[in-house]
Coordinates of all heavy atoms in Angstrom, one line a residue:
S680 N 5.9 15.6 -7.3 CA 5.8 15.4 -5.9 C 4.4 14.7 -5.6 O 4.3 13.8 -4.7 CB 5.9 16.6 -5.1 OG 6.1 16.4 -3.8
V681 N 3.4 15.0 -6.4 CA 2.1 14.3 -6.3 C 2.3 12.7 -6.5 O 1.8 11.9 -5.8 CB 1.0 14.9 -7.2 CG1 -0.1 13.9 -7.3 CG2 0.7 16.2 -6.7
V682 N 3.0 12.5 -7.6 CA 3.3 11.0 -7.9 C 4.1 10.4 -6.8 O 3.7 9.3 -6.4 CB 4.1 11.0 -9.2 CG1 4.6 9.5 -9.5 CG2 3.3 11.5 -10.4
E683 N 5.0 11.1 -6.2 CA 5.8 10.5 -5.1 C 5.0 10.3 -3.9 O 5.1 9.2 -3.3 CB 7.0 11.4 -4.8 CG 8.1 11.5 -5.9 CD 9.1 12.7 -5.7 OE1 9.0 13.2 -4.6 OE2 9.8 13.0 -6.6
A684 N 4.2 11.2 -3.6 CA 3.2 11.1 -2.4 C 2.3 9.9 -2.7 O 2.0 9.1 -1.8 CB 2.5 12.3 -2.1
C685 N 1.8 9.8 -3.8 CA 0.8 8.7 -4.1 C 1.5 7.3 -4.1 O 0.9 6.4 -3.8 CB 0.1 9.0 -5.5 SG -1.1 10.3 -5.5
T686 N 2.8 7.4 -4.6 CA 3.5 6.0 -4.5 C 3.7 5.6 -3.1 O 3.5 4.4 -2.8 CB 4.9 6.3 -5.2 OG1 4.7 6.6 -6.6 CG2 5.7 4.9 -5.1
K687 N 4.0 6.5 -2.2 CA 4.1 6.3 -0.8 C 2.8 5.7 -0.2 O 2.7 4.9 0.6 CB 4.7 7.4 0.0 CG 6.2 7.7 -0.4 CD 6.8 8.8 0.5 CE 8.2 8.9 0.1 NZ 8.9 10.0 1.0
L688 N 1.7 6.4 -0.6 CA 0.4 6.0 -0.2 C 0.0 4.6 -0.7 O -0.5 3.8 0.1 CB -0.6 7.0 -0.7 CG -2.1 6.7 -0.4 CD1 -2.3 6.6 1.2 CD2 -3.1 7.8 -1.0
G689 N 0.4 4.3 -1.9 CA 0.2 3.0 -2.4 C 1.1 1.9 -1.6 O 0.5 0.8 -1.4
E690 N 2.2 2.3 -1.2 CA 3.0 1.3 -0.4 C 2.3 1.1 0.9 O 2.3 0.0 1.5 CB 4.4 1.9 -0.2 CG 5.2 1.9 -1.4 CD 6.5 2.7 -1.2 OE1 6.7 3.4 -0.2 OE2 7.5 2.6 -2.1
A691 N 1.8 2.2 1.5 CA 1.0 2.0 2.8 C -0.2 1.2 2.7 O -0.5 0.4 3.5 CB 0.6 3.5 3.4
L692 N -0.9 1.4 1.5 CA -2.2 0.6 1.3 C -1.7 -0.9 1.0 O -2.5 -1.8 1.6 CB -2.9 1.1 0.1 CG -3.6 2.4 0.2 CD1 -3.9 3.1 -1.1 CD2 -4.8 2.3 1.1
L693 N -0.6 -1.2 0.4 CA -0.2 -2.6 0.2 C 0.2 -3.2 1.5 O -0.2 -4.3 1.7 CB 0.9 -2.6 -0.9 CG 1.6 -3.9 -1.1 CD1 0.6 -4.9 -1.6 CD2 2.7 -3.8 -2.0
K694 N 0.8 -2.4 2.3 CA 1.2 -2.9 3.6 C 0.0 -3.3 4.4 O -0.1 -4.4 5.1 CB 2.1 -1.9 4.3 CG 2.6 -2.4 5.7 CD 3.5 -1.3 6.3 CE 4.1 -1.8 7.6 NZ 5.0 -0.7 8.2
Q695 N -1.0 -2.4 4.4 CA -2.4 -2.8 5.1 C -3.0 -3.9 4.5 O -3.5 -4.9 5.2 CB -3.2 -1.5 5.0 CG -4.6 -1.8 5.6 CD -4.7 -2.3 7.0 OE1 -3.8 -1.9 7.8 NE2 -5.6 -3.1 7.3
A696 N -3.0 -4.1 3.2 CA -3.6 -5.2 2.4 C -3.0 -6.5 2.8 O -3.7 -7.5 2.9 CB -3.6 -4.9 0.9
Q697 N -1.7 -6.4 3.1 CA -1.0 -7.7 3.4 C -1.4 -8.2 4.8 O -1.1 -9.3 5.2 CB 0.5 -7.5 3.3 CG 0.9 -7.3 1.8 CD 2.4 -6.9 1.7 OE1 2.9 -6.4 2.6 NE2 2.9 -7.2 0.6
K698 N -2.0 -7.3 5.6 CA -2.5 -7.7 6.9 C -3.8 -8.4 6.9 O -4.4 -9.1 7.8 CB -2.6 -6.5 7.9 CG -1.3 -5.8 8.2 CD -1.5 -4.6 9.0 CE -0.2 -3.8 9.3 NZ -0.5 -2.6 10.1
M699 N -4.5 -8.3 5.6 CA -5.8 -8.9 5.4 C -5.7 -10.3 4.9 O -4.6 -10.7 4.4 CB -6.6 -7.9 4.5 CG -6.7 -6.5 5.1 SD -7.2 -5.3 3.9 CE -8.9 -5.8 3.5
D700 N -6.8 -11.0 4.8 CA -6.8 -12.3 4.4 C -7.0 -12.4 2.9 O -8.0 -12.7 2.4 CB -8.0 -13.1 5.1 CG -7.9 -14.6 4.8 OD1 -6.9 -15.1 4.4 OD2 -9.0 -15.2 5.0
H701 N -5.8 -12.1 2.2 CA -5.9 -12.2 0.7 C -4.5 -12.7 0.3 O -3.6 -11.9 0.1 CB -6.1 -10.8 0.1 CG -6.6 -10.9 -1.3 ND1 -6.0 -11.6 -2.3 CD2 -7.8 -10.3 -1.9 CE1 -6.6 -11.5 -3.4 NE2 -7.7 -10.8 -3.2
P702 N -4.3 -14.0 0.2 CA -3.0 -14.6 -0.1 C -2.3 -14.1 -1.3 O -1.1 -14.1 -1.3 CB -3.3 -16.1 -0.2 CG -4.8 -16.2 -0.5 CD -5.4 -15.0 0.2
A703 N -3.0 -13.6 -2.3 CA -2.4 -13.2 -3.5 C -1.4 -12.0 -3.3 O -0.5 -11.8 -4.1 CB -3.5 -12.9 -4.6

C-alpha cells in the first residue's frame, strides 16, 4: 500500500511538473 500511495503521489507530482516550464 505504501508503494501504491507513492505511485499516486508520483502521478500528482508529474501532473504539477507538467504545469511548469519544462518541455521534456
Side-chain angles (χ1 to χ4, degrees):
S680 194
V681 168
V682 173
E683 293 168 11
C685 288
T686 299
K687 291 185 178 182
L688 177 60
E690 292 171 347
L692 288 165
L693 177 59
K694 186 176 181 179
Q695 171 60 34
Q697 290 170 338
K698 298 177 182 178
M699 301 165 65
D700 187 19
H701 201 307

